[in-house]
Amino acid sequence: NASKATVYAAIHDFCMKNENVLYFPGFDIVNYELNRREHYIEDNRHLNPKSLQYYMNCFGKTFFSEKSLRMAT
């Protein structure tokens, strides 16, 4: 999709020009990796606990050191 590519290019440029700015692909994780019905609770809007844990693990690996993650568990 051309518009998605444009958005990702803008995000990349912004992150490269701004120190300490990182992009976390949360939308992509939810919509492409966790896109099956089994990942949601009955309302089909909210992730179930197992899927939420997966999402938070992705977030943690992106923004925290291994030492910090070990301390948090």
Side-chain angles (χ1 to χ4, degrees), residues 29-46:
I29 292 169
V30 171
N31 285 293
Y32 301 111
E33 293 182 40
L34 301 174
N35 64 345
R36 292 190 313 273
R37 183 169 243 173
E38 67 195 55
H39 294 291
Y40 292 86
I41 62 174
E42 296 80 29
D43 68 3
N44 291 320
R45 294 182 67 204
H46 297 92

Side-chain angles (χ1 to χ4, degrees), residues 8-63:
Y8 285 125
I11 291 168
H12 177 75
D13 288 345
F14 182 82
C15 290
M16 296 303 290
K17 292 176 183 174
N18 294 277
E19 192 174 326
N20 296 320
V21 174
L22 298 172
Y23 171 69
F24 178 69
F27 178 85
D28 296 322
I29 292 169
V30 171
N31 285 293
Y32 301 111
E33 293 182 40
L34 301 174
N35 64 345
R36 292 190 313 273
R37 183 169 243 173
E38 67 195 55
H39 294 291
Y40 292 86
I41 62 174
E42 296 80 29
D43 68 3
N44 291 320
R45 294 182 67 204
H46 297 92
L47 294 173
N48 66 36
K50 184 177 178 181
S51 299
L52 181 59
Q53 185 63 46
Y54 172 80
Y55 180 89
M56 293 308 295
N57 285 339
C58 292
F59 183 87
K61 289 177 183 177
T62 300
F63 293 107

